[in-house]
Amino acid sequence: MGRQAQHVYTDPASIRQLESLIDELPANGHVVLLLKDGSSCDGVVSMQPSVQIFRDVDERVGINARVQLQRPDVPEWSRRFWLDQILRVEHLDSCLAGES
């Protein structure tokens, strides 16, 4: 298992939180991610994320997930975000109305 993540989660509440965010990130959904560091980023979800098994820097095994955003008007642009760094998801289209 060569997947590394800064943070991994094993407790049920944290895993449920990650899964809840995944439900807010449908493939092709246009969203704004409001991040825990105060920044934000908008784009289109390239593929709905899924929880995966990673190791953290201390070699602990646990769960995390990443989402990739793209911008159709800028084909070479894309960014990836760890779900545990997302504070809130705002929807800019009708895939899922409202906010998480």
Side-chain angles (χ1 to χ4, degrees):
M1 177 182 352
R3 296 176 181 251
Q4 290 288 132
Q6 187 171 1
H7 304 284
V8 296
Y9 302 90
T10 57
D11 63 287
S14 295
I15 294 170
R16 278 193 302 276
Q17 177 63 29
L18 292 173
E19 291 171 336
S20 176
L21 281 169
I22 288 170
D23 291 341
E24 295 285 327
L25 297 165
N28 301 313
H30 190 187
V31 298
V32 175
L33 302 181
L34 301 165
L35 304 172
K36 291 179 179 178
D37 69 3
S39 66
S40 65
C41 186
D42 74 283
V44 175
V45 178
S46 62
M47 176 187 301
Q48 186 170 38
S50 61
V51 293
Q52 297 179 22
I53 298 173
F54 293 93
R55 288 185 188 270
D56 69 9
V57 294
D58 296 321
E59 294 297 314
R60 289 183 297 239
V61 175
I63 301 293
N64 207 331
R66 292 187 286 188
V67 62
Q68 180 172 323
L69 297 185
Q70 297 178 321
R71 293 189 179 143
D73 57 331
V74 186
E76 64 279 357
W77 185 93
S78 70
R79 291 203 45 204
R80 296 182 113 193
F81 299 92
W82 290 101
L83 266 57
D84 67 332
Q85 297 306 303
I86 298 171
L87 183 63
R88 189 171 75 237
V89 177
E90 294 180 356
H91 299 274
L92 300 177
D93 59 15
S94 61
C95 279
L96 289 174
E99 300 176 358
S100 67

